[in-house]
Amino acid sequence: MNNKIEISDINKFCDFNDTPQGLSQSKILIIDDEPMNLSLMIDLLECEGYEYIVAETNPEKGLILYEKKEFDILLLDINMPGLDGFEVMQKIKEMNKEMTPPILVLTASHQQEICNRALESGATDFISKPFNSDEALNRIKNLLYSYHTKKQLISMNCNLENLVKLRTHELTESKLKVIQHLGFAAEYRDTETAAHTIRVGEYSRLLGQKLRLDSDMVDLLHQSAPLHDIGKIGIPDAILLKPGKFEPEEWEIMKTHASIGAEILENDNDPLIVMARSIALTHHEKWNGQGYPCGLSGNKIPIEGRIVMLADVYDALTMIRPYKTAWTTEETITFIKKESGISFDPEIVHQFLNVSNEFAEIRKEYLDQNYDG
Ligand code: C2E
Ligand code: SIN
Ligand code: SIN
Ligand code: FE
Ligand code: FE
């Protein structure tokens, strides 16, 4: 898969249509109690080519219009009866709209104090009445231009974020696929299906949930448990595929699959690989310290190793192997109970016994199922 972000992708994901072709299509709202001022401003804007102008002398009604529609700029008078311009700006703040268009305050006052107060109250800019037409038009054009640019940037950012999310998702999916295939590769020589690795993943997830591990941990467990026997890649056919019981020397070689697995998965910071390595190394350690390769005991065995230990043995016992027949579910449960505190963590056995029916269902569901990725 190509993970580079192409310009064509960005274009595909970025919708530039929310910016008018020209500023002339900007939506302009004017609130001014003086009808003369309004018609003056409307004439000026229409002459300049602006096509979408809404004018209102009543500030309350103006606010309702503002709230209903997405305007690109508000031209606002300060001195008005009822609500003055400051109060209008306060109400606009309280609306908490996601996008606030620029506010150009029209004030008859030349007082510095009024102008400063307007800027502090949310005005983007102001012009003093009577205003010079060219200055007014230029200020309006600049404000509209900045606002459109800002909208465009926000929309591009949002689309890029979506693109990154999509790509990250694809990468994660493809990583998981590779992990699955690797698990299958590990299993291929002795069983020729991935069903065993998949079941061990499912059993481990169930136990992780029952043990109330956090959900990220449960996901990692589910995804990495299928790699527990990756080290069998390093075991010769004559041993791995032997139909009968092992001789002691063969057994010594077979046991190295745990540390071979850890070596294969070494030197990686990826949380999934780190966990897979831990499982490969510790899935044959026993609670009483009599397991291999390190003879760890009790809680010194990582929880993921203790979990996969039980999941793996449950699966090995209930299935046919070249060296053994399949045990019944009852025989398997009896064995696991007996091994509580010997091979297995008693707490994990306790949780297993609560969900042994679900284990049987998983076993049925994935029985001899061929690998389909
Ligand atoms: P596996 O077949 O997946 O078995 C995983 C684990 O399940 C075994 O780990 C063991 O703890 C348990 N298990 C499997 N079969 C039996 C059984 O008949 N009785 C009991 N009590 N437990 C059983 P273990 O012993 O560390 O073996 C690791 C791997 O070594 C096995 O994976 C298998 O691939 C191989 N292996 C073990 N013993 C023999 C054997 O006598 N002959 C052959 N050909 N392979 C063996
Ligand atoms: C852990 O998450 O490692 C604690 C549970 C346990 O040690 O059994
Ligand atoms: C298998 O040999 O089929 C699985 C071995 C294991 O999970 O230990
Ligand atoms: Fe193993
Ligand atoms: Fe296994």
Side-chain angles (χ1 to χ4, degrees):
M1 189 184 53
N2 180 6
N3 291 315
K4 269 190 297 186
I5 294 177
E6 307 284 353
I7 291 298
S8 61
D9 290 328
I10 295 175
N11 287 335
K12 204 163 38 189
F13 277 85
C14 290
D15 174 16
F16 291 106
N17 289 337
D18 52 5
T19 302
Q21 290 303 306
L23 292 180
S24 64
Q25 282 158 48
S26 305
K27 298 179 180 62
I28 303 177
L29 175 63
I30 317 173
I31 304 176
D32 193 325
D33 62 303
E34 184 55 62
M36 269 301 292
N37 288 345
L38 278 187
S39 52
L40 198 73
M41 187 57 96
I42 291 171
D43 285 351
L44 186 66
L45 291 169
E46 278 179 354
C47 264
E48 187 71 6
Y50 289 103
E51 293 163 15
Y52 194 107
I53 306 165
V54 177
E56 180 53 61
T57 50
N58 179 328
E60 272 96 0
K61 286 187 185 162
L63 270 174
I64 292 169
L65 290 170
Y66 176 92
E67 187 154 31
K68 272 208 298 233
K69 216 150 172 78
E70 298 292 321
F71 284 97
D72 296 308
I73 190 168
L74 169 61
L75 311 185
L76 179 64
D77 186 23
I78 285 290
N79 290 314
M80 296 182 288
L83 289 178
D84 70 13
F86 294 115
E87 289 166 316
V88 170
M89 285 192 278
Q90 184 56 37
K91 299 264 184 213
I92 284 175
K93 252 187 216 159
E94 286 162 12
M95 285 178 200
N96 255 328
K97 277 196 163 192
E98 208 171 308
M99 289 291 293
T100 311
I103 301 174
L104 178 63
V105 158
L106 315 167
T107 170
S109 168
H110 289 275
Q111 282 179 314
Q112 189 70 47
E113 193 202 319
I114 299 277
C115 298
N116 284 342
R117 202 179 137 207
L119 291 173
E120 280 161 18
S121 309
T124 320
D125 201 357
F126 62 86
I127 43 177
S128 308
K129 293 188 279 195
F131 47 79
N132 170 282
S133 305
D134 287 339
E135 183 187 348
L137 286 172
N138 278 325
R139 285 189 191 269
I140 289 167
K141 195 170 73 187
N142 287 344
L143 292 177
L144 284 173
Y145 185 77
S146 316
Y147 187 58
H148 286 313
T149 308
K150 181 175 156 187
K151 281 210 295 196
Q152 216 175 50
L153 273 177
I154 287 174
S155 144
M156 262 176 74
N157 260 338
C158 168
N159 290 315
L160 279 175
E161 264 168 38
N162 287 340
L163 184 62
V164 169
K165 269 187 213 148
L166 180 81
R167 286 285 189 261
T168 308
H169 178 76
E170 284 175 356
L171 264 177
T172 307
E173 284 294 296
S174 103
K175 182 174 85 178
L176 291 181
K177 286 253 146 81
V178 172
I179 296 284
Q180 279 177 10
H181 287 285
L182 198 58
F184 183 23
E187 213 54 41
Y188 188 78
R189 276 195 306 151
D190 51 343
T191 69
E192 294 191 19
T193 86
H196 166 66
T197 63
I198 292 174
R199 281 191 307 262
V200 171
E202 296 296 325
Y203 297 143
S204 301
R205 167 163 65 181
L206 183 54
L207 288 174
Q209 284 165 344
K210 285 288 143 192
L211 289 161
R212 301 186 173 282
L213 301 182
D214 79 69
S215 70
D216 284 349
M217 170 85 174
V218 171
D219 286 346
L220 284 180
L221 192 58
H222 177 221
Q223 293 154 0
S224 60
L227 296 186
H228 67 276
D229 274 333
I230 186 85
K232 284 184 178 175
I233 286 174
I235 305 300
D237 280 356
I239 294 174
L240 184 66
L241 304 180
K242 180 175 176 172
K245 286 281 166 200
F246 282 151
E247 299 302 322
E249 323 78 75
E250 294 170 325
W251 180 232
E252 285 311 311
I253 292 170
M254 185 66 219
K255 285 197 291 186
T256 61
H257 81 280
S259 42
I260 293 173
E263 272 170 49
I264 290 173
L265 298 166
E266 214 149 67
N267 292 325
D268 201 312
N269 291 327
D270 186 287
L272 185 50
I273 306 294
V274 169
M275 174 149 316
R277 179 184 184 277
S278 167
I279 289 171
L281 186 63
T282 64
H283 74 282
H284 289 293
E285 297 290 359
K286 291 186 178 178
W287 185 255
N288 66 4
Q290 301 298 299
Y292 62 90
C294 298
L296 298 178
S297 64
N299 286 335
K300 294 203 187 85
I301 309 164
I303 181 83
E304 58 271 21
R306 282 177 268 150
I307 289 172
V308 174
M309 166 68 160
L310 192 151
D312 184 34
V313 172
Y314 178 92
D315 199 63
L317 293 182
T318 50
M319 304 308 287
I320 301 176
R321 290 281 193 268
Y323 62 95
K324 64 176 277 298
T325 56
W327 297 21
T328 65
T329 311
E330 290 70 32
E331 288 167 335
T332 305
I333 293 174
T334 304
F335 175 81
I336 289 176
K337 248 194 245 177
K338 182 172 67 77
E339 289 290 310
S340 175
I342 301 169
S343 292
F344 307 120
D345 178 345
E347 170 61 14
I348 298 180
V349 172
H350 175 73
Q351 295 300 338
F352 161 75
L353 293 173
N354 285 335
V355 292
S356 58
N357 286 343
E358 287 173 64
F359 265 65
E361 278 164 30
I362 291 171
R363 185 176 148 266
K364 241 186 263 158
E365 186 180 342
Y366 292 93
L367 204 62
D368 292 331
Q369 179 189 297
N370 280 324
Y371 185 72
D372 59 10

